[in-house]
């Protein structure tokens, strides 16, 4: 299971690839490099992976957050199914205030 916060915060100096590699290694994702490639293409952030996260636009940070959330949860087989039949689940609306 992955979590995407409303306003995710990431280390500004780290590149997207560095951060996803760290997450993938901490979660023991098999073939982490290949999974980063697949996940980044699925979420539309592949072209920005080698840029510092601090240079990403707000929309790019949201897409990066999605990649961060699904990277440890999607095996190759499940990722292929998601690419053919995308699904999203909202667990709770953002708090008011």
């Amino acid at each position: 299971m992955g979590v995407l916060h409303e306003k995710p915060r990431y280390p500004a100096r780290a590149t997207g690839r560095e951060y996803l590699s760290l997450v993938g290694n901490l979660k023991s994702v098999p073939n982490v490099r290949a999974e980063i490639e697949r996940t980044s293409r699925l979420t539309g952030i592949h072209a920005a992976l080698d840029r510092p996260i601090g240079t990403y636009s707000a929309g790019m940070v949201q897409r990066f957050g999605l990649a961060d959330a699904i990277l440890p949860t999607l095996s190759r087989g499940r990722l292929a199914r998601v690419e053919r039949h995308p699904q999203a689940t909202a667990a709770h609306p953002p708090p008011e205030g």
Side-chain angles (χ1 to χ4, degrees):
M1 177 197 302
V3 174
L4 175 58
H5 296 277
E6 181 181 1
K7 294 180 181 178
R9 300 189 81 171
Y10 296 101
R13 294 182 186 167
T15 68
R17 189 178 309 277
E18 290 169 342
Y19 187 84
L20 291 177
S21 292
L22 173 66
V23 169
N25 287 324
L26 288 173
K27 300 281 187 166
S28 300
V29 174
N31 302 315
V32 69
R33 287 183 184 160
E35 294 302 327
I36 289 170
E37 292 297 313
R38 266 195 264 327
T39 303
S40 67
R41 290 184 192 283
L42 176 68
T43 56
I45 63 163
H46 188 265
L49 277 181
D50 294 313
R51 289 186 7 225
I53 298 169
T55 66
Y56 292 4
S57 68
M60 182 67 74
V61 170
Q62 286 293 313
R63 289 194 304 269
F64 182 78
L66 181 60
D68 178 21
I70 67 175
L71 177 68
T73 62
L74 293 179
S75 65
R76 184 179 177 122
R78 281 196 61 211
L79 183 55
R81 286 195 300 276
V82 168
E83 288 171 340
R84 287 191 303 271
H85 307 287
Q87 298 176 2
T89 302
H92 194 278
E96 294 187 29

